[in-house]
Amino acid sequence: MTEKYNMPDARGHFGPYGGLFVAETLIPPIQELNAAYQQYMSDPEFIAELDADLQHYVGRPSPLYYAERWSRELGGAQIYLKREDLNHTGSHKINNTVGQALLAKRMGKTRIIAETGAGQHGVATATVAARLGLECVVYMGAVDVARQSLNVYRMKLLGATVVAVESGSKTLKDALNEALRDWVTNVDNTFYIIGTVAGPHPYPAMVRDFQAIIGREAKQQCLAQTGRLPDALVACVGGGSNAIGLFYPFINDESVKLIGVEAAGDGVETGRHSAPLCAGKPGVLHGNRTYLMSDEDGEVIETHSISAGLDYPGVGPEHAWLKDTGRAQYVNITDTEALEGFHALTRMEGIIPALESAHAMAYTMKLAPTMRKDEIIIINLSGRGDKDMQTMAKREGIEL
Amino acid sequence: MSRLATTFTELEKTGRKALIPFITAGDPHPEFTVPMMHAMVEAGVNVIELGVPFSDPMADGPVIQRASERALAHKMSLRKTLAVAAEFRKTNQTTPVVIMGYLNPIEAMGYEAFANAAQAADIDGVLTVDLPPEEAAECTALLKARGIDPIFLLAPNSTDERIEKMNTLGSGYLYYVSLKGVTGAGHLNTADVEQKLHQIKARTNLPVGIGFGVKDADMAKAVAALGDGVVVGSALISKVEANLDNPERAKQEICELLSAMRLAMDSVGA
């Protein structure tokens, strides 16, 4: 890559991906949002307020932690963890909700809506809504409500209304459909905080920009601690917000490999997975063109992953572009492998990762031994595993 | 002249407005759809909007969502919807058929293959809910080259600039979504619609169909007075849903409602 990376274009396209595929009623509020986003991202006062919130409310910068024992055990590259699990509310999702909530406030919106899969984005949204005194409604697939009941309770404690979505596959994609239906009905007073780098333009770029603090910090911290850039970045990819947040500030650093890890569920060959970049084809869903899991008639296929946060048939359009251009590489990890990653990090480093992040851990267990000891991997530890205790216990036949 | 242009021109000559029903192809069963279309023509409709079922109908309320789910359970698809339209056309050469749905099934088929298939099925118009003018240039050109009208949506919050854009890009008619919300939601406010139609009519010569929230004959009559056509969908599909064990009765109830709307609309000037 000889030219400086400069995506998306003015109309929100990453090559053939991204764009603005929504019904007419949503065009005016999206134009309003885009104008506000362009204005405030270059407004020093807004940036100062955002930075202060990230420092004092979220708890940034998050540490870059050298996993010395695990690195030694794996016998290859040196492994560093970007500790997004230590953020307020327990994942990287808060970086984006703090930013979008400040935008909502500037735009005079009084009502916040969000979709959520694992519940991390829902909790992060309910949190900022509580802090700003805004009404908050979170849409969550009924299947996810059942498997992430702890996060449902957290959202309710924070004052949010949680709506269990019973349509379609009752997971994240259906929650997004329902949130879009709410938005189209309440466009005048409502701000839709999308939690991932998908949706219509400007969401993929805007969410990336709010999450890019992960990569900016990681780069500085890596240089400070090791005196050099990392050789590889590894992050799990559902919609892809934690991955793009880590990758983006390194895109022009060609020596740094970018590796996104999708959820293979029962295995990509079984069809029961959530790996559109590895096994899907381009299509249009939720406002953008991207890699998508759909059948030959263009109907979206039901997905599967042990981690609710990765259980989504699409992926952010920028990842689609990074895949096609070869700048990033996308691999996949099964449920069973993810559990190995989960246990390994827990027992080796005393850190319990979210099941989503465990996919990145599991791939690193394959990757690190193939690399030299003087090479460096940074993994995005995007969230902590507290929310997954019930899922883990059930899987292992333990009653809590 | 396309069948849509002919239809609206003929209606205008007699001072009548178009009655435009929307049904989901394949709901409750694929064999139901063609006889339903013919029966609706008998009941006095002028244009038929045939919904292509989609797994993720983001702009639709629960009634049409469930219609999609029922149709998909019978493996209904874009391809099969076109086959339904072609079957209807064998015995009806005059009533325009508009395919209405979401973009991904068209993406999966490929724009050019879709345009060819739509032409082969003698489709008159295509309305793609999630394909606004910003992204529509390629698909629209392929359709127009084959004499198929691309139909665009207008909403209560559409600006002058957007109305002009739809006027340039669209043909056949413009579909005015009369309320902020999903299909089948609430009741439309005729005063608001009237005001908006003034703004729209000042910027286009295309006929304007009005839909979203038209539930009964009185509403159809009120709305007909404001535009060139009345679109009714969820109110019809509710009757399918209420008679899942008896599609013949669903057909009968749908036609009764459409006949009542026709009668009320034709008495506008009276």
Side-chain angles (χ1 to χ4, degrees):
Chain A
M1 207 170 288
T2 50
E3 285 173 32
K4 200 168 182 305
Y5 184 81
N6 185 25
M7 285 290 194
D9 67 18
R11 289 168 57 228
H13 292 117
F14 302 87
Y17 304 110
L20 182 61
F21 296 90
V22 294
E24 181 61 20
T25 317
L26 285 180
I27 297 281
I30 285 172
Q31 287 175 337
E32 183 192 355
L33 170 65
N34 197 24
Y37 157 68
Q38 301 294 345
Q39 178 190 339
Y40 290 115
M41 290 308 271
S42 55
D43 175 354
E45 215 172 284
F46 179 85
I47 298 298
E49 189 176 349
L50 176 61
D51 286 347
D53 277 0
L54 290 172
Q55 184 184 346
H56 302 295
Y57 189 66
V58 175
R60 305 205 71 90
S62 69
L64 183 71
Y65 166 73
Y66 175 37
E68 191 175 358
R69 181 165 179 239
W70 199 32
S71 302
R72 201 164 55 234
E73 167 80 14
L74 292 174
Q78 305 308 303
I79 299 166
Y80 288 76
L81 303 173
K82 182 59 175 161
R83 297 291 309 272
E84 294 300 302
D85 61 319
L86 294 177
N87 293 339
H88 180 42
T89 72
S91 81
H92 72 291
K93 291 293 186 188
I94 191 96
N95 302 328
N96 168 52
T97 60
V98 160
Q100 288 198 49
L102 285 183
L103 260 186
K105 203 173 83 174
R106 289 284 204 285
M107 292 169 71
K109 303 291 181 184
T110 56
R111 182 172 177 271
I112 298 283
I113 59 170
E115 85 296 337
T116 196
Q120 293 301 92
H121 174 59
V123 167
T125 303
T127 297
V128 296
R131 179 170 173 245
L132 297 177
L134 300 169
E135 183 190 348
C136 180
V137 178
V138 178
Y139 292 92
M140 189 168 185
V143 169
D144 294 336
V145 167
R147 63 178 161 175
Q148 302 285 347
S149 58
L150 194 62
N151 271 345
V152 174
Y153 184 56
R154 288 169 80 192
M155 287 184 268
K156 287 181 177 169
L157 285 176
L158 289 159
T161 303
V162 180
V163 179
V165 178
E166 298 284 353
S167 59
S169 60
K170 305 178 194 244
T171 59
L172 180 53
K173 81 171 174 77
D174 310 285
L176 237 150
N177 291 338
E178 209 55 39
L180 286 167
R181 290 180 190 123
D182 179 312
W183 198 23
V184 89
T185 308
N186 302 293
V187 287
D188 295 329
N189 69 345
T190 297
F191 189 107
Y192 180 14
I193 300 189
I194 294 186
T196 193
V197 285
H201 177 65
Y203 282 101
M206 180 173 70
V207 176
R208 173 198 71 194
D209 290 349
F210 285 134
Q211 290 293 0
I213 188 151
I214 301 172
R216 286 199 302 273
E217 285 178 5
K219 190 187 253 189
Q220 273 185 358
Q221 290 165 323
C222 188
L223 288 170
Q225 290 178 33
T226 71
R228 53 184 293 255
L229 287 174
D231 298 282
L233 307 178
V234 180
C236 65
V237 176
S241 69
N242 90 79
I244 214 79
L246 179 63
F247 293 175
Y248 183 60
F250 290 92
I251 286 182
N252 290 314
D253 300 308
E254 287 171 64
S255 66
V256 182
K257 281 193 193 118
L258 313 178
I259 303 167
V261 185
E262 293 194 303
D266 291 344
V268 165
E269 70 288 349
T270 68
R272 284 176 47 77
H273 61 85
S274 305
L277 288 166
C278 294
K281 57 182 192 298
V284 170
L285 183 69
H286 295 149
N288 66 96
R289 183 180 286 120
T290 187
Y291 278 83
L292 186 64
M293 289 173 56
S294 70
D295 66 16
E296 57 180 15
D297 292 324
E299 306 296 343
V300 178
I301 305 174
E302 292 199 9
T303 54
H304 170 78
S305 169
I306 190 172
S307 69
L310 303 182
D311 207 343
Y312 181 66
V315 62
E318 191 159 18
H319 287 294
W321 176 243
L322 293 175
K323 173 192 159 78
D324 281 11
T325 57
R327 179 62 190 93
Q329 174 196 347
Y330 295 89
V331 296
N332 57 82
I333 283 291
T334 64
D335 287 353
T336 306
E337 291 171 324
L339 291 174
E340 287 168 21
F342 177 94
H343 287 300
L345 190 71
T346 302
R347 298 300 289 269
M348 281 289 150
E349 296 291 345
I351 298 171
I352 302 179
L355 281 173
E356 290 77 15
S357 320
H359 287 72
M361 304 305 148
Y363 185 72
T364 302
M365 289 166 71
K366 296 183 180 181
L367 177 67
T370 69
M371 292 170 67
R372 294 194 317 267
K373 286 186 176 164
D374 63 347
E375 292 185 303
I376 294 169
I377 298 173
I378 297 178
I379 316 174
N380 198 354
L381 177 44
S382 55
R384 61 178 177 236
D386 307 36
K387 70 181 173 61
D388 296 313
M389 291 302 102
Q390 283 168 325
T391 305
M392 289 301 298
K394 195 175 162 199
R395 177 110 180 177
E396 307 200 329
I398 295 161
E399 195 141 341
L400 291 181
Chain B
M1 204 191 264
S2 77
R3 260 189 216 101
L4 281 167
T6 307
T7 298
F8 279 100
T9 307
E10 289 299 318
L11 283 167
E12 200 183 354
K13 279 184 199 161
T14 55
R16 296 163 78 227
K17 305 296 172 71
L19 178 57
I20 310 173
F22 169 96
I23 57 168
T24 299
D27 172 40
H29 192 276
E31 286 164 17
F32 176 78
T33 308
V34 173
M36 185 70 237
M37 292 168 78
H38 287 302
M40 292 194 300
V41 172
E42 288 289 311
V45 309
N46 309 100
V47 177
I48 294 173
E49 287 185 356
L50 197 54
V52 183
F54 182 50
S55 53
D56 294 82
M58 288 152 281
D60 285 302
V63 171
I64 294 179
Q65 287 174 44
R66 289 193 293 265
S68 255
E69 286 174 13
R70 285 192 296 270
L72 289 173
H74 292 291
K75 306 265 179 253
M76 202 62 194
S77 62
L78 175 56
R79 227 172 278 277
K80 289 179 186 166
T81 303
L82 292 172
V84 162
E87 181 67 27
F88 169 78
R89 186 59 78 221
K90 281 182 187 167
T91 46
N92 180 320
Q93 303 299 316
T94 52
T95 309
V97 175
V98 172
I99 292 283
M100 180 166 178
Y102 293 81
L103 184 58
N104 200 51
I106 296 176
E107 289 257 330
M109 193 184 278
Y111 286 175
E112 189 157 9
F114 167 69
N116 289 337
Q119 185 182 30
D122 210 350
I123 295 296
D124 302 285
V126 174
L127 197 170
T128 311
V129 176
D130 53 350
L131 187 63
E134 281 78 359
E135 304 284 353
E138 185 188 350
C139 198
T140 301
L142 287 165
L143 292 174
K144 281 187 168 173
R146 288 161 181 76
I148 300 170
D149 291 317
I151 318 286
F152 285 93
L153 298 171
L154 284 170
N157 49 4
S158 297
T159 57
D160 288 350
E161 185 198 348
R162 293 197 70 77
I163 297 168
E164 282 154 18
K165 202 177 253 182
M166 310 301 181
N167 177 52
T168 309
L169 209 55
S171 59
Y173 62 99
L174 294 172
Y175 184 144
Y176 178 59
V177 174
S178 64
L179 47 82
K180 293 172 189 162
V182 293
T183 50
H187 276 279
L188 59 82
N189 178 322
T190 44
D192 291 349
V193 174
E194 184 170 13
Q195 197 179 10
K196 192 72 187 180
L197 260 288
H198 280 299
Q199 184 194 352
I200 294 171
K201 282 291 189 180
R203 285 161 188 85
T204 184
N205 290 320
L206 288 171
V208 180
I210 302 170
F212 279 42
V214 179
K215 289 177 163 53
D216 54 32
D218 287 347
M219 188 63 80
K221 177 178 173 164
V223 168
L226 308 174
D228 306 290
V230 178
V231 186
V232 53
S234 297
L236 305 180
I237 290 174
S238 295
K239 305 217 177 279
V240 174
E241 195 162 62
N243 296 289
L244 287 176
D245 54 340
N246 190 348
E248 274 308 309
R249 187 156 72 207
K251 186 161 81 177
Q252 190 188 335
E253 289 185 10
I254 284 170
C255 290
E256 280 167 10
L257 177 59
L258 289 170
S259 299
M261 287 180 164
R262 176 82 269 164
L263 200 65
M265 286 164 62
D266 289 350
S267 68
V268 162

PDB file of all heavy atoms in Angstrom, chain A residues 162-173:
ATOM      1  N   VAL A 162     -35.766  -2.941  28.130  1.00  0.00           N
ATOM      2  CA  VAL A 162     -35.205  -3.965  27.249  1.00  0.00           C
ATOM      3  C   VAL A 162     -36.357  -4.658  26.535  1.00  0.00           C
ATOM      4  O   VAL A 162     -37.246  -5.216  27.175  1.00  0.00           O
ATOM      5  CB  VAL A 162     -34.377  -4.996  28.041  1.00  0.00           C
ATOM      6  CG1 VAL A 162     -33.807  -6.062  27.101  1.00  0.00           C
ATOM      7  CG2 VAL A 162     -33.254  -4.292  28.806  1.00  0.00           C
ATOM      8  N   VAL A 163     -36.353  -4.595  25.210  1.00  0.00           N
ATOM      9  CA  VAL A 163     -37.411  -5.223  24.419  1.00  0.00           C
ATOM     10  C   VAL A 163     -36.875  -6.525  23.823  1.00  0.00           C
ATOM     11  O   VAL A 163     -35.900  -6.514  23.066  1.00  0.00           O
ATOM     12  CB  VAL A 163     -37.884  -4.287  23.280  1.00  0.00           C
ATOM     13  CG1 VAL A 163     -38.973  -4.961  22.450  1.00  0.00           C
ATOM     14  CG2 VAL A 163     -38.385  -2.964  23.849  1.00  0.00           C
ATOM     15  N   ALA A 164     -37.491  -7.641  24.192  1.00  0.00           N
ATOM     16  CA  ALA A 164     -37.096  -8.936  23.636  1.00  0.00           C
ATOM     17  C   ALA A 164     -37.724  -9.084  22.258  1.00  0.00           C
ATOM     18  O   ALA A 164     -38.940  -9.032  22.116  1.00  0.00           O
ATOM     19  CB  ALA A 164     -37.544 -10.063  24.553  1.00  0.00           C
ATOM     20  N   VAL A 165     -36.894  -9.255  21.233  1.00  0.00           N
ATOM     21  CA  VAL A 165     -37.375  -9.308  19.852  1.00  0.00           C
ATOM     22  C   VAL A 165     -37.665 -10.762  19.476  1.00  0.00           C
ATOM     23  O   VAL A 165     -36.787 -11.616  19.526  1.00  0.00           O
ATOM     24  CB  VAL A 165     -36.335  -8.691  18.894  1.00  0.00           C
ATOM     25  CG1 VAL A 165     -36.806  -8.793  17.446  1.00  0.00           C
ATOM     26  CG2 VAL A 165     -36.082  -7.237  19.278  1.00  0.00           C
ATOM     27  N   GLU A 166     -38.918 -11.004  19.083  1.00  0.00           N
ATOM     28  CA  GLU A 166     -39.372 -12.384  18.827  1.00  0.00           C
ATOM     29  C   GLU A 166     -39.394 -12.728  17.339  1.00  0.00           C
ATOM     30  O   GLU A 166     -39.753 -13.843  16.978  1.00  0.00           O
ATOM     31  CB  GLU A 166     -40.782 -12.582  19.407  1.00  0.00           C
ATOM     32  CG  GLU A 166     -40.889 -12.415  20.920  1.00  0.00           C
ATOM     33  CD  GLU A 166     -40.353 -13.618  21.686  1.00  0.00           C
ATOM     34  OE1 GLU A 166     -40.019 -14.633  21.040  1.00  0.00           O
ATOM     35  OE2 GLU A 166     -40.250 -13.523  22.924  1.00  0.00           O
ATOM     36  N   SER A 167     -39.045 -11.775  16.479  1.00  0.00           N
ATOM     37  CA  SER A 167     -39.145 -12.056  15.040  1.00  0.00           C
ATOM     38  C   SER A 167     -37.883 -12.740  14.522  1.00  0.00           C
ATOM     39  O   SER A 167     -36.826 -12.688  15.155  1.00  0.00           O
ATOM     40  CB  SER A 167     -39.403 -10.759  14.268  1.00  0.00           C
ATOM     41  OG  SER A 167     -38.363  -9.844  14.499  1.00  0.00           O
ATOM     42  N   GLY A 168     -38.003 -13.375  13.350  1.00  0.00           N
ATOM     43  CA  GLY A 168     -36.867 -13.992  12.664  1.00  0.00           C
ATOM     44  C   GLY A 168     -36.123 -14.991  13.532  1.00  0.00           C
ATOM     45  O   GLY A 168     -36.728 -15.842  14.171  1.00  0.00           O
ATOM     46  N   SER A 169     -34.793 -14.864  13.565  1.00  0.00           N
ATOM     47  CA  SER A 169     -33.982 -15.821  14.325  1.00  0.00           C
ATOM     48  C   SER A 169     -33.841 -15.402  15.787  1.00  0.00           C
ATOM     49  O   SER A 169     -33.156 -16.056  16.562  1.00  0.00           O
ATOM     50  CB  SER A 169     -32.611 -15.961  13.677  1.00  0.00           C
ATOM     51  OG  SER A 169     -31.939 -14.709  13.651  1.00  0.00           O
ATOM     52  N   LYS A 170     -34.471 -14.274  16.165  1.00  0.00           N
ATOM     53  CA  LYS A 170     -34.477 -13.806  17.556  1.00  0.00           C
ATOM     54  C   LYS A 170     -33.068 -13.548  18.096  1.00  0.00           C
ATOM     55  O   LYS A 170     -32.797 -13.800  19.271  1.00  0.00           O
ATOM     56  CB  LYS A 170     -35.208 -14.799  18.474  1.00  0.00           C
ATOM     57  CG  LYS A 170     -36.620 -15.101  18.009  1.00  0.00           C
ATOM     58  CD  LYS A 170     -37.258 -16.128  18.944  1.00  0.00           C
ATOM     59  CE  LYS A 170     -38.443 -16.685  18.406  1.00  0.00           C
ATOM     60  NZ  LYS A 170     -39.519 -17.003  18.195  1.00  0.00           N
ATOM     61  N   THR A 171     -32.159 -13.113  17.226  1.00  0.00           N
ATOM     62  CA  THR A 171     -30.806 -12.771  17.687  1.00  0.00           C
ATOM     63  C   THR A 171     -30.463 -11.356  17.230  1.00  0.00           C
ATOM     64  O   THR A 171     -31.349 -10.560  16.942  1.00  0.00           O
ATOM     65  CB  THR A 171     -29.755 -13.788  17.179  1.00  0.00           C
ATOM     66  OG1 THR A 171     -29.785 -13.800  15.754  1.00  0.00           O
ATOM     67  CG2 THR A 171     -30.025 -15.189  17.715  1.00  0.00           C
ATOM     68  N   LEU A 172     -29.162 -11.076  17.160  1.00  0.00           N
ATOM     69  CA  LEU A 172     -28.702  -9.711  16.936  1.00  0.00           C
ATOM     70  C   LEU A 172     -29.269  -9.067  15.665  1.00  0.00           C
ATOM     71  O   LEU A 172     -29.653  -7.902  15.674  1.00  0.00           O
ATOM     72  CB  LEU A 172     -27.162  -9.708  16.903  1.00  0.00           C
ATOM     73  CG  LEU A 172     -26.455  -8.382  16.676  1.00  0.00           C
ATOM     74  CD1 LEU A 172     -26.910  -7.312  17.660  1.00  0.00           C
ATOM     75  CD2 LEU A 172     -24.935  -8.577  16.798  1.00  0.00           C
ATOM     76  N   LYS A 173     -29.334  -9.799  14.557  1.00  0.00           N
ATOM     77  CA  LYS A 173     -29.813  -9.187  13.309  1.00  0.00           C
ATOM     78  C   LYS A 173     -31.264  -8.730  13.447  1.00  0.00           C
ATOM     79  O   LYS A 173     -31.655  -7.703  12.914  1.00  0.00           O
ATOM     80  CB  LYS A 173     -29.649 -10.135  12.119  1.00  0.00           C
ATOM     81  CG  LYS A 173     -30.733 -11.181  11.962  1.00  0.00           C
ATOM     82  CD  LYS A 173     -30.600 -11.940  10.638  1.00  0.00           C
ATOM     83  CE  LYS A 173     -31.583 -13.086  10.536  1.00  0.00           C
ATOM     84  NZ  LYS A 173     -32.950 -12.681  10.213  1.00  0.00           N
TER      85      LYS A 173
END
